[in-house]
Amino acid sequence: MSLVVSASSVAVQPVVLHHSPAPGPEGAWRLADVQALLDLPFNELMHRAQTVHREHFPDADIELATLLSVKTGGCPENCGYCPQAAQYDTGVTAQKLMEVDEVVQAAQAAKDAGATRFCMGAAWRAPKDRDVIKVAKLVEAVKGLGLQTCATLGMLEPHHAEQLKDAGLDYYNHNLDTSSAYYGQVVDTRTYQDRLDTLASVRKAGISVCCGGIVGMGESPVDRAGLIAQLANLNPHPESVPINSLVRVPGTPLADAPPIDPLDFVRVIAVSRITMPKARVRLSAGRQQLGEAVQALCFLAGANSIFYGDKLLITGNPDADADLSLLKKLGLKARAVSTTQADMAFPS
């Protein structure tokens, strides 16, 4: 798998998506518009992002979401960042789908620790009918605890999305990962359009969308702009936008990717906030490597959600006590538990 940024990365490959209103003359966020934001002087960018953030999230609370791998390893995809890909030697042992009681126990522990959303991840390319039936039971059980529910299961057919909606699924996560231009250098077992089609199925079923990407995979700055533009031009833009800093796992093709400059990561958060003003922008994977000072800048830039708990699928994450300590230092409060439909909708 090639990981060299080619000259073609400066152009966004055509994909089928719908545009939402934005500053561009055609009513969409143009790549040049997003790049211009990323290139702003840092203080100016932070000011603009904080202004947008205060307008749409005056309570300034932080959503705590917990992620559990309910089916680990053995994935047939070749995503260059993923230690769960079967073809990479990363020490991950494939495991079957967890039982309902195991998941409920983990979800209750997450709720007791302060989480309001519980996300279930399964390492599939795409779930089969029997898989969706089993996951629907997990969703029903977790929903019964009073938590918001989220799942990430790979590509999803329309009827599977409908089944999960009927079971009470609130959010479906399916990241675009990077720009359409750079995508083929990270994974080639599915297409960018496959990802957009899954998002369309989720949206049509009435499930809220959780969709973001990963930075630090060797992409160029214009690819970061391309990712943000694609996300912001979804109609509507995602309710949740997880921004991941690559966790470089030995055995994966991206194990030796150069780390992103921390201030460039903050810029991605800030521009995500400006271009998707009503979204919960989530600090996701890689927070352990960022440190408290950079995380504080990310919150200032408009991040208002974190994955909470000492593990993300199979990679490390700051422990709950450390997160609560940081929020206390910054004078930030955790979002209160609520599972009403009004709460899941965009704030006005």
Side-chain angles (χ1 to χ4, degrees):
M1 179 184 302
S2 171
L3 295 173
V4 178
V5 180
S6 67
S8 63
S9 66
V10 298
V12 176
Q13 295 173 352
V15 290
V16 180
L17 54 80
H18 301 285
H19 293 144
S20 57
E26 293 83 27
W29 281 103
R30 299 175 305 173
L31 184 63
D33 299 329
V34 178
Q35 187 67 62
L37 288 174
L38 285 170
D39 291 340
L40 282 173
F42 190 78
N43 286 356
E44 174 64 19
L45 175 59
M46 295 293 279
H47 174 70
R48 292 195 191 186
Q50 181 62 201
T51 300
V52 171
H53 185 59
R54 287 174 181 240
E55 177 183 353
H56 292 278
F57 292 94
D59 291 340
D61 57 356
I62 305 298
E63 176 191 69
L64 305 181
T66 294
L67 175 62
L68 176 69
S69 178
V70 297
K71 188 272 175 186
T72 303
C75 182
E77 301 277 21
N78 67 351
C79 303
Y81 52 81
C82 186
Q84 299 199 67
Q87 64 181 278
Y88 306 143
D89 183 11
T90 61
V92 174
T93 301
Q95 300 175 10
K96 65 179 183 178
L97 187 68
M98 293 173 66
E99 298 294 334
V100 173
D101 58 344
E102 295 178 280
V103 174
V104 167
Q105 183 178 5
Q108 184 63 59
K111 182 180 179 181
D112 292 343
T116 59
R117 188 183 302 179
F118 191 74
C119 307
M120 293 163 277
W124 286 314
R125 170 178 166 79
K128 298 180 173 61
D129 289 349
R130 64 176 182 271
D131 299 323
V132 175
I133 291 171
K134 292 177 181 178
V135 172
K137 292 179 180 178
L138 299 181
V139 171
E140 291 172 351
V142 172
K143 187 77 170 179
L145 298 177
L147 286 164
Q148 289 185 348
T149 55
C150 179
T152 178
L153 316 172
M155 293 184 290
L156 213 59
E157 295 292 334
H159 68 286
H160 289 156
E162 293 285 352
Q163 286 177 265
L164 293 170
K165 173 63 176 178
D166 290 344
L169 187 67
D170 298 313
Y171 289 82
Y172 193 81
N173 167 259
H174 199 62
N175 291 334
L176 292 181
D177 288 348
T178 186
S179 70
S180 58
Y182 192 66
Y183 182 81
Q185 299 193 54
V186 176
V187 54
D188 59 18
T189 50
R190 74 172 82 174
T191 68
Y192 210 74
Q193 190 63 54
D194 287 334
R195 291 187 180 269
L196 291 168
D197 290 345
T198 286
L199 295 176
S201 295
V202 169
R203 189 61 84 184
K204 185 176 181 181
I207 300 170
S208 294
V209 169
C210 177
C211 183
I214 307 170
V215 293
M217 297 193 294
E219 75 283 348
S220 66
V222 74
D223 290 310
R224 294 170 198 153
L227 168 65
I228 295 170
Q230 296 282 12
L231 292 169
N233 287 333
L234 294 173
N235 185 23
H237 67 63
E239 287 85 348
S240 286
V241 180
I243 303 296
N244 301 272
S245 179
L246 176 69
V247 177
R248 298 180 294 282
V249 179
T252 62
L254 286 166
D256 297 320
I260 184 174
D261 184 289
L263 293 183
D264 286 341
F265 183 83
V266 176
R267 287 179 179 276
V268 171
I269 295 291
V271 176
S272 296
R273 166 54 64 221
I274 293 168
T275 58
M276 292 170 278
K278 297 180 180 181
R280 285 275 172 180
V281 177
R282 180 180 299 143
L283 286 181
S284 298
R287 281 200 302 122
Q288 270 188 318
Q289 290 73 40
L290 293 177
E292 288 191 345
V294 176
Q295 289 183 71
L297 284 174
C298 288
F299 291 132
L300 185 63
N304 59 352
S305 177
I306 59 172
F307 270 131
Y308 178 67
D310 61 1
K311 197 174 185 181
L312 293 183
L313 296 179
I314 65 167
T315 58
N317 198 48
D319 63 41
D321 289 342
D323 281 333
L324 294 178
S325 175
L326 177 58
L327 294 183
K328 184 177 180 180
K329 287 180 187 179
L330 299 176
L332 297 172
K333 61 183 179 180
R335 186 186 193 190
V337 175
S338 176
T339 57
T340 64
Q341 188 60 41
D343 181 63
M344 289 186 291
F346 279 142
S348 60

